[in-house]
Amino acid sequence: MTFGTTICAISTASGMGAIGVVRVSGADSYSIVRKLVVRMAAFDDLEPRKMLYTGITDANGELIDEVMLAKFASPSSFTGEDMVEIYCHGSEYIEQKILVRLTQSGAELARAGEFTQRAFLNGKMDLSQSEAVADLISSSSAESHRVAMSQLKGQVSSKIAELREKMLDLTSLLELELDFSEEDVEFADRTKLVALIDEICAEAERLIKSFEYGNAVKSGVPVAIVGEPNVGKSTLLNAILHEDRAIVSSVAGTTRDTIEEEFVIDGIRFRFIDTAGIRKSDNEIEQLGIQRTFARLKSAKIVILMLDALSYGRRNEIIDSVKSEISSDACLLVVINKIDVENLELEDDISIGISALESTNVDKLCAMLADYVKSLKPESSDVIITNARHVSSLVAARDLLVSARQSICSGVPSDFVAQDLREANYHLGEITGAISTDEVLGSIFSKFCIGK
Ligand SMILES: Nc1nc2c(ncn2[C@@H]2O[C@H](COP(=O)(O)OP(=O)(O)OP(=O)(O)O)[C@@H](O)[C@H]2O)c(=O)[nH]1
Ligand SMILES: [Mg+2]
């Protein structure tokens, strides 16, 4: 596909750095950049994917910077178009000056994600792979990197292609029958059709389920630390982070606002939320803090409910009150703190005894968190869904398959069944972008950074 414009953008992060990269893509890339360079003849002779050392000048012929640059020839480039990448010194001033020169010479400023959008529209990658580019850029732990990389390499795409292939087999069986509907023949074996639908549904279901893990890995796992005042919640947060982040004091009701910090354990990023201690209070500010604790409880994936010797006797009542507030798929870990002072006998419903103050068993508690997240990881295959858009398409496809199955079993005419199957296939196609609208593409790529 050829686009009318040649686009340019700074591709490196803003701020100072050793090197800054300015990218140009489009049919006029070479002729536009040529106007800026000192060594024009050498630029003309430059083979794609080789480096040229040259100067870039402003409109008055004054040197802006000494740079290295490389040409990439269509279709063998990231976008599939002719491209030039300019490697200048990493000063925002220099990068901006080069950008201005490029726009004065005929290039347009790229929109967010426009390079990747062009790559998609030129068939260099499909939609789920394009989305993986954004995930890869924002990956901040080993596991989120691994999952984004496998999506970029096309694992999600090939799984969806496999499902669509099976769907096509199904619909073609039925559609053949529709061609001969006048003759009242049944080509498709109903039992075989139902078995095929079940197989696709099970696979879709597995992918939908994998989102629980995929989303946790991609966005960080929210862990709320809750309990009565003074049990040592803030001390635990500090012990996990190995820094003095939250204020700790022997005064009950020290933490008022929730405090959130990220920490990577065993390749998985967690978002720890220290909360205000739960108790009945007349203090307005403390009440507001406690309301926030309950709000954070609902969205936590893991809840660490902390008890100490003082609250231990009322543990059943405390555990029940927290259980009624947390999400049904959240994991509840009941932790006894201050074992350095009093080592209580641990009942079955207690996960572990720790001393946050002396960091006793804090490592073990962290390992329990990582083990829990790993237990959510789907076993049978490596394909993990991390994108809410993919899940909603899979859910829509699965629901239509379920409806098609019911129709077949209750003898509904084939054309209704075929219609459901066609729609289900349409939703699967949305994931890879085999089927897409400008609106969908616009909303996906606008979330990218400029220059990608
Ligand atoms: N001996 C002992 N004291 C602890 C331990 N953990 C915390 N403390 C002490 O308990 C007191 C309260 O600790 P915090 O961490 O502020 O307790 P909190 O649960 O955050 O309290 P609020 O913010 O008021 O809800 C402080 O004096 C801590 O030093 C522990 O493991 N052992
Ligand atoms: Mg606190």
Side-chain angles (χ1 to χ4, degrees):
M1 182 182 274
T2 48
F3 302 90
T5 55
T6 291
I7 52 172
C8 63
I10 301 166
S11 286
T12 32
S14 68
M16 213 162 41
I19 309 279
V21 179
V22 180
R23 263 175 154 185
V24 190
S25 179
D28 298 330
S29 298
Y30 296 176
S31 61
I32 289 173
V33 176
R34 185 183 193 278
K35 294 179 198 163
L36 279 59
V37 299
V38 175
R39 301 177 58 203
M40 282 187 184
F43 180 80
D44 290 339
D45 293 342
L46 181 66
E47 284 174 39
R49 297 161 185 258
K50 296 261 166 75
M51 289 280 214
L52 174 72
Y53 167 69
T54 182
I56 297 253
T57 55
D58 67 15
N60 303 318
E62 292 286 330
L63 193 66
I64 299 174
D65 196 10
E66 289 179 345
V67 304
M68 301 289 282
L69 58 77
K71 286 177 176 173
F72 300 88
S74 170
S76 306
S77 71
F78 177 72
T79 58
E81 304 176 308
D82 280 351
M83 288 184 76
V84 180
E85 283 186 4
I86 301 168
Y87 313 101
C88 60
H89 289 100
S91 130
E92 268 189 73
Y93 174 75
I94 293 174
E95 293 160 357
Q96 290 293 346
K97 287 275 275 185
I98 294 175
L99 210 58
V100 169
R101 277 289 278 144
L102 288 167
T103 52
Q104 285 169 344
S105 308
E108 286 185 13
L109 291 177
R111 283 177 284 111
E114 198 172 355
F115 289 91
T116 316
Q117 184 166 6
R118 289 190 175 195
F120 163 69
L121 292 169
N122 280 325
K124 300 293 290 187
M125 56 179 76
D126 71 23
L127 208 48
S128 82
Q129 289 174 304
S130 309
E131 288 168 317
V133 173
D135 292 350
L136 201 59
I137 291 171
S138 57
S139 65
S140 59
S141 65
E143 198 52 12
S144 60
H145 170 263
R146 190 187 71 76
V147 173
M149 198 48 130
S150 88
Q151 188 174 327
L152 182 66
K153 289 206 175 315
Q155 288 206 3
V156 172
S157 314
S158 32
K159 186 87 235 165
I160 297 298
E162 191 186 306
L163 289 186
R164 293 194 82 210
E165 197 69 34
K166 285 184 185 164
M167 290 283 300
L168 282 178
D169 288 350
L170 248 177
T171 26
S172 54
L173 277 174
L174 274 171
E175 276 169 359
L176 188 68
E177 208 170 277
L178 290 177
D179 290 343
F180 293 88
S181 54
E182 300 289 299
E183 294 155 42
D184 201 22
V185 284
E186 245 186 31
F187 289 98
D189 172 351
R190 282 346 193 208
T191 339
K192 217 169 128 191
L193 281 181
V194 169
L196 203 49
I197 289 182
D198 286 347
E199 195 183 314
I200 304 171
C201 264
E203 199 55 45
E205 203 63 63
R206 202 200 61 72
L207 289 172
I208 293 166
K209 182 118 201 353
S210 77
F211 181 66
E212 196 186 347
Y213 177 75
N215 190 39
V217 159
K218 186 167 129 180
S219 324
V221 185
V223 184
I225 308 171
V226 299
E228 296 197 335
N230 241 3
V231 290
K233 301 180 293 298
S234 302
T235 310
L236 175 63
L237 176 78
N238 292 346
I240 291 172
L241 302 177
H242 303 290
E243 68 168 88
D244 217 1
R245 172 65 183 83
I247 298 176
V248 165
S249 89
S250 56
V251 178
T254 301
T255 306
R256 296 291 171 93
D257 215 342
T258 49
I259 299 173
E260 183 164 338
E261 284 296 329
E262 294 189 351
F263 196 70
V264 176
I265 300 166
D266 212 357
I268 300 160
R269 190 158 54 98
F270 289 89
R271 298 195 332 254
F272 289 97
I273 306 143
D274 178 24
T275 62
I278 304 170
R279 67 167 167 184
K280 288 199 170 56
S281 165
D282 295 333
N283 183 302
E284 197 183 330
I285 304 175
E286 193 176 351
Q287 279 175 358
L288 289 172
I290 295 169
Q291 279 172 22
R292 289 189 177 200
T293 301
F294 282 112
R296 301 311 295 263
L297 255 182
K298 290 192 195 334
S299 57
K301 189 102 201 126
I302 302 176
V303 174
I304 296 178
L305 169 57
M306 188 177 265
L307 303 170
D308 63 1
L310 272 179
S311 51
Y312 191 66
R314 284 174 287 110
R315 65 180 181 284
N316 290 338
E317 175 197 333
I318 298 172
I319 293 171
D320 287 346
S321 69
V322 166
K323 266 189 183 160
S324 64
E325 295 293 333
I326 64 180
S327 128
S328 58
D329 61 353
C331 160
L332 177 66
L333 294 175
V334 183
V335 173
I336 303 278
N337 190 27
K338 309 190 185 180
I339 57 165
D340 54 305
V341 192
E342 199 169 346
N343 210 344
L344 301 158
E345 181 98 3
L346 299 187
E347 300 293 332
D348 283 353
D349 50 1
I350 308 299
S351 307
I352 190 170
I354 65 167
S355 165
L357 188 69
E358 296 184 353
S359 281
T360 314
N361 285 351
V362 172
D363 286 353
K364 276 193 191 157
L365 175 61
C366 289
M368 286 167 94
L369 300 176
D371 286 347
Y372 169 70
V373 177
K374 286 183 200 157
S375 74
L376 300 175
K377 189 172 176 176
E379 276 171 21
S380 49
S381 136
D382 246 341
V383 182
I384 291 164
I385 299 292
T386 60
N387 193 306
R389 190 184 71 81
H390 301 176
V391 176
S392 59
S393 296
L394 281 162
V395 167
R398 186 228 23 221
D399 291 349
L400 284 155
L401 281 163
V402 170
S403 138
R405 188 191 197 279
Q406 275 166 358
S407 303
I408 292 175
C409 295
S410 50
V412 170
S414 302
D415 35 358
F416 291 109
V417 180
Q419 178 61 20
D420 277 350
L421 294 178
R422 269 195 295 268
E423 268 182 54
N425 212 4
Y426 173 93
H427 288 297
L428 291 180
E430 287 174 329
I431 297 173
T432 51
I435 289 145
S436 63
T437 63
D438 285 350
E439 200 185 337
V440 170
L441 294 184
S443 104
I444 291 171
F445 288 105
S446 65
K447 295 191 191 90
F448 278 54
C449 37
I450 306 251
K452 191 63 229 176

